[in-house]
Amino acid sequence: VPIIDDAGNVREWVGTCTDITDERQQEEKYEFLLRAGQLLSSSLDYETILQRVADLTVTRLADWCTVHIVEEDGGIQQVALAHRDPKMVEYARELSRKYPPNHARLRAPGGMLETGKHELVSEITDEMLVQGARDEEHLRITRNLNLSSYMAIPMITRGRTLGIISFFACDHDHYFEQD
């Protein structure tokens, strides 16, 4: 609002500003949850549903999203994969073929499939990449992914863990936190 002096000139401006960042972030979370709920009820084919949820996730929450389910025989299979850059999806599939995930950690006593507890790595360090690498090429590839943060959430129904949805951030300005 302009403050006008006696000569009719603008002497100064006065204004207010309301920071609505928190409210907007809450709105976005609710919109995401609403959309995810709509997707979950959109089909009877669980693989289609889980792929749609993974696709939605990379538009709002993460750079990568994978969904693994526990099969009847106890095996673990990836049923969905999405990345912000569609070209990276095939790259990720190739990486999984060349370096299949070791699911023993998930099945081990105290592992996520037994406990049903989520896993959060707020900041992925180079030391973590070195520890997890199977060889020099694997280390080079994982470093090139530019991973910054990770979280995995078990999908549980009636006390049984059906699978795990995992989220990866690849931008070192983006980190997952407990909330």
Side-chain angles (χ1 to χ4, degrees):
V1 175
I3 304 296
I4 310 290
D5 64 17
D6 294 335
N9 298 317
V10 176
R11 183 174 43 124
E12 60 187 295
W13 289 88
V14 177
T16 63
C17 179
T18 304
D19 184 357
I20 60 166
T21 302
D22 291 340
E23 290 87 356
R24 184 65 190 135
Q25 287 174 341
Q26 278 302 110
E27 270 182 40
E28 288 175 358
K29 285 179 187 178
Y30 291 132
E31 286 172 16
F32 174 79
L33 291 173
L34 176 65
R35 184 71 181 123
Q38 290 169 338
L39 290 173
L40 290 171
S41 64
S42 67
S43 171
L44 294 177
D45 177 18
Y46 74 92
E47 289 186 32
T48 298
I49 292 169
L50 294 173
Q51 183 61 55
R52 288 177 182 167
V53 169
D55 292 339
L56 175 65
T57 298
V58 299
T59 64
R60 302 268 177 107
L61 179 67
D63 297 309
W64 290 92
C65 179
T66 61
V67 181
H68 291 80
I69 59 161
V70 179
E71 297 179 313
E72 292 295 322
D73 65 1
I76 299 173
Q77 177 187 343
Q78 180 176 293
V79 294
L81 168 68
H83 190 281
R84 233 177 252 281
D85 177 354
K87 291 180 272 178
M88 292 297 286
V89 172
E90 188 52 42
Y91 180 74
R93 286 190 177 116
E94 168 120 10
L95 183 61
S96 287
R97 282 190 291 273
K98 191 167 189 169
Y99 296 100
N102 179 357
H103 294 119
R105 182 177 61 87
L106 299 174
R107 285 194 205 95
M112 192 181 308
L113 291 177
E114 180 183 292
T115 66
K117 293 186 177 173
H118 73 278
E119 188 173 277
L120 171 67
V121 178
S122 294
E123 183 176 358
I124 297 174
T125 65
D126 191 63
E127 292 78 32
M128 292 174 179
L129 297 179
V130 169
Q131 266 187 326
R134 297 184 188 167
D135 58 32
E136 285 299 316
E137 183 181 4
H138 191 221
L139 178 60
R140 182 187 57 74
I141 291 168
T142 55
R143 280 179 172 153
N144 286 340
L145 294 175
N146 203 29
L147 301 172
S148 59
S149 195
Y150 159 80
M151 66 178 164
I153 313 296
M155 297 181 296
I156 301 171
T157 186
R158 298 183 189 116
R160 181 172 162 236
T161 303
L162 302 176
I164 298 169
I165 185 166
S166 302
F167 308 96
F168 301 86
C170 299
D171 178 357
H172 285 275
D173 293 329
H174 178 201
Y175 296 92
F176 299 124
E177 297 174 353
Q178 191 64 36
D179 64 332

